[in-house]
Amino acid sequence: MRLQGKTAVITGAGSGIGRSTALLFAAEGAAIVIADIDTAGGEQTAAEIRGQGGGALFIACDVTDEDGATSMAAQAAEAYGGIDVLFNNAGISGIGALHEVEPQVWEREMRVNVTGVYHTCRAVLPYMMERRSGTIINMSSSIAEMGVAARASYTASKGAVLSLTKAMQVDYAPYNIRVNALLPGTILTPFVERYVQASEDPEAAVAAIKRRQLSGELGRPQQVAQAALFLASDESSFVMGSPLYVDGGLVFGKQV
Ligand code: NAD
């Protein structure tokens, strides 16, 4: 029970990595606030947590909406008496080289992946600063450290999240708030399933993804959730402003 008595807000917990993390954090004793635009998915995560005996509250929230984020944080703090952990996990992905990315796709991706983190942090930080305690986990990606074909807007957004994490850590260390980033490789979630299905040859796309990870496999959402648990818990008390790679060797391993 590594998160006993804690409250964790997880954005995008209605699917994939966010849902797995919500279930794991709840099993470790945390009360979970699921903030997602997907009401069906968010309610399903909440129901699964309650089914395993945990506490969960779904709040419909679009992270691109400043007022929505503020209201979500207020409801979360009111329901559970504070917020200990914020996992900025919600994200979307565009595809294409820079000249192929339409302006509205670029704008939307930056709004969800970068501005969304800003809104949610801005809404939650006052509760953490007041108590001089908290842990923030920002979802970046291994792609922030590499050049990958046809992922210009996504890479730019996840690089911004990684840089923001480092800057935030300096500003909030005096408040005893730790801010770290997760950098997953390719994890089998609906997010990646959509990306694979959109490619010309889905089978070849999966094979290429497997090849570039030393594990030879796609990662599982649970494997990222375990890393998020480490960053959320006191076990990582000396980890500050750091990127944590959960990528099957994608970034540092090279098969040439
Ligand atoms: P997913 O699509 O399964 O889940 C994303 C969730 O975010 C969904 O429930 C969706 O409704 C929610 N969401 C989207 N826009 C939102 C908004 N504006 N406000 C609130 N919620 C919103 O995706 P996933 O694979 O679980 O990805 C989760 C995060 O991990 C994303 O930030 C993604 O960029 C990142 N990531 C994923 C992978 C991967 O391979 N799956 C790798 C690296 C990083």
Side-chain angles (χ1 to χ4, degrees):
M1 299 297 263
R2 282 176 281 181
L3 299 178
Q4 186 70 50
K6 307 264 189 200
T7 299
V9 170
I10 305 177
T11 67
S15 175
I17 296 167
R19 172 176 290 165
S20 274
T21 306
L23 290 165
L24 180 63
F25 281 16
E28 293 286 340
I32 310 297
V33 175
I34 298 140
D36 203 304
I37 39 168
D38 175 5
T39 298
E43 291 287 14
Q44 190 186 324
T45 304
E48 283 183 34
I49 291 172
R50 290 190 205 109
Q52 68 183 27
L57 173 66
F58 166 68
I59 301 174
C61 172
D62 182 339
V63 295
T64 67
D65 172 20
E66 184 183 359
D67 292 342
T70 305
S71 150
M72 180 278 294
Q75 287 178 66
E78 162 116 24
Y80 295 114
I83 300 170
D84 302 287
V85 179
L86 168 62
F87 183 14
N88 286 305
N89 164 76
I92 57 171
S93 176
I95 295 175
L98 187 140
H99 71 280
E100 297 163 333
V101 179
E102 296 296 335
Q104 64 273 22
V105 172
W106 177 275
E107 292 293 342
R108 179 74 192 158
E109 211 164 345
M110 292 299 160
R111 275 193 74 74
V112 176
N113 293 2
V114 185
T115 311
V117 174
Y118 159 73
H119 284 150
T120 318
C121 285
R122 202 147 182 265
V124 167
L125 272 165
Y127 299 98
M128 294 182 167
M129 291 166 77
E130 191 188 352
R131 299 198 332 199
R132 301 188 91 78
S133 168
T135 304
I136 297 175
I137 304 159
N138 290 330
M139 182 58 97
S140 178
S141 166
S142 290
I143 214 165
E145 301 278 35
M146 318 162 64
V148 173
R151 307 303 300 280
S153 51
Y154 185 65
T155 305
S157 74
K158 293 302 183 180
V161 170
L162 181 56
S163 295
L164 175 64
T165 300
K166 296 171 188 173
M168 283 180 66
Q169 180 60 91
V170 176
D171 291 333
Y172 300 110
Y175 294 91
N176 192 31
I177 297 169
R178 294 187 299 110
V179 190
N180 291 293
L182 274 177
L183 281 72
T186 307
I187 313 297
L188 189 56
T189 68
F191 179 93
V192 167
E193 279 161 18
R194 281 191 297 273
Y195 165 73
V196 165
Q197 289 311 323
S199 58
E200 273 171 26
D201 183 347
E203 236 172 78
V206 171
I209 292 168
K210 287 183 174 176
R211 249 194 328 272
R212 70 184 188 204
Q213 301 190 154
L214 294 181
S215 63
E217 282 300 332
L218 273 70
R220 288 176 284 109
Q222 294 81 358
Q223 292 171 313
V224 184
Q226 291 286 353
L229 173 61
F230 170 67
L231 292 178
S233 76
D234 292 342
E235 285 166 22
S236 60
S237 57
F238 201 50
V239 181
M240 298 176 77
S242 289
L244 177 53
Y245 301 87
V246 190
D247 68 349
L250 177 63
V251 172
F252 295 111
K254 291 278 173 284
Q255 286 170 327
V256 282

